[in-house]
Amino acid sequence: NAGVTQTPKFQVLKTGQSMTLQCAQDMNHNSMYWYRQDPGMGLRLIYYSASEGTTDKGEVPNGYNVSRLNKREFSLRLESAAPSQTSVYFCASSPYFGTGDSNQPQHFGDGTRLSIL
Amino acid sequence: AQTVTQSQPEMSVQEAETVTLSCTYDTSENNYYLFWYKQPPSRQMILVIRQEAYKQQNATENRFSVNFQKAAKSFSLKISDSQLGDTAMYFCAFIHSSGSARQLTFGSGTQLTVLP
């Protein structure tokens, strides 16, 4: 089925380890996003890529890096994982940046549950 | 910066009854979009309903409808004939229609439990 695919679904890391979360979409969308979801809070934007070749910081970018590998793929890297980065991470995509248009909402992947000990 | 507030962390409703989830937001812009997303235990983020701020008519999708009060900056979700499968976390979200602040901002969520 068409959509946003995230890998892995679960991961446990030790403090200081590095990790890359992968995201791919097959809807030919221009824009992609990384969010984190913590208990009692809504999703918060970490980084986004409005179009291939561009990336920008969101609300909570510290401790993360991203790469827009091509139009389909947008990865999130934790260089030195910290317990505060324990969260569920969601990747999303949309045809164009932002895109509140009624026919073009953001589409979400199933999430990656990341635990850092 | 825009903010979205959901003041009800948890709610419950009997199956077949009606329930209303509250959401308020803050923005100085005039053109924007509002959404309700549903997140069941499977963790998927599923779009339930959307509303364009320039439309006065409230959006409706089957059993789901909204009460959009632009002047009050209120956007509540009404679920009619509640079903067990409606049990989920519900998030209200907001996005500007233009400009550099076109980021989707979420509320903290309301956990809805439908009781048999």
Side-chain angles (χ1 to χ4, degrees):
Chain A
N1 293 333
V4 179
T5 303
Q6 291 182 233
T7 55
K9 295 190 183 305
F10 302 94
Q11 185 70 48
V12 178
L13 294 177
K14 294 181 179 178
T15 298
Q17 286 186 316
S18 61
M19 171 76 188
T20 299
L21 307 185
Q22 306 287 352
C23 175
Q25 53 90 10
D26 57 7
M27 296 174 283
N28 200 35
H29 286 173
N30 288 290
S31 304
M32 299 184 73
Y33 314 82
W34 276 105
Y35 295 87
R36 61 178 287 173
Q37 183 180 27
D38 301 303
M41 303 183 74
L43 277 70
R44 292 183 293 167
L45 185 64
I46 305 171
Y47 270 94
Y48 65 92
S49 171
S51 61
E52 185 179 358
T54 70
T55 60
D56 284 286
K57 295 178 180 179
E59 182 184 353
V60 288
N62 292 344
Y64 305 94
N65 286 302
V66 291
S67 295
R68 185 72 183 266
L69 304 172
N70 48 54
K71 191 172 185 179
R72 291 187 62 248
E73 299 172 289
F74 187 41
S75 64
L76 178 72
R77 183 162 179 84
L78 288 70
E79 290 290 351
S80 179
S84 62
Q85 295 177 304
T86 293
S87 189
V88 179
Y89 291 85
F90 285 92
C91 179
S93 71
S94 62
Y96 301 99
F97 174 53
T99 310
D101 182 84
S102 60
N103 292 321
Q104 300 176 19
Q106 291 186 18
H107 296 255
F108 287 83
D110 290 342
T112 295
R113 186 177 293 278
L114 184 61
S115 296
I116 299 160
L117 307 176
Chain B
Q2 62 266 27
T3 59
V4 178
T5 302
Q6 294 179 248
S7 59
Q8 305 153 312
E10 298 180 357
M11 295 189 72
S12 61
V13 63
Q14 291 293 138
E15 194 174 7
E17 299 282 301
T18 295
V19 65
T20 299
L21 281 58
S22 301
C23 173
T24 59
Y25 59 93
D26 186 27
T27 181
S28 58
E29 299 293 325
N30 197 45
N31 295 320
Y32 50 87
Y33 299 87
L34 294 157
F35 306 87
W36 279 98
Y37 279 90
K38 167 185 176 181
Q39 187 179 42
S42 65
R43 288 208 316 260
Q44 281 184 298
M45 290 291 289
I46 302 166
L47 181 66
V48 174
I49 197 166
R50 70 204 84 179
Q51 174 79 43
E52 294 93 335
Y54 63 86
K55 289 187 176 179
Q56 292 185 342
Q57 186 173 6
N58 289 325
T60 299
E61 286 286 342
N62 300 315
R63 299 182 293 107
F64 299 88
S65 61
V66 300
N67 183 5
F68 174 48
Q69 302 288 331
K70 191 173 183 178
K73 296 180 181 176
S74 171
F75 182 61
S76 60
L77 174 69
K78 186 172 82 170
I79 306 173
S80 304
D81 186 24
S82 297
Q83 300 176 0
L84 296 177
D86 295 335
T87 292
M89 182 74 86
Y90 287 80
F91 291 98
C92 179
F94 168 103
I95 195 168
H96 286 135
S97 61
S98 63
S100 61
R102 280 181 292 163
Q103 298 177 9
L104 196 60
T105 299
F106 287 84
S108 56
T110 296
Q111 176 63 50
L112 176 68
T113 302
V114 180
L115 304 170

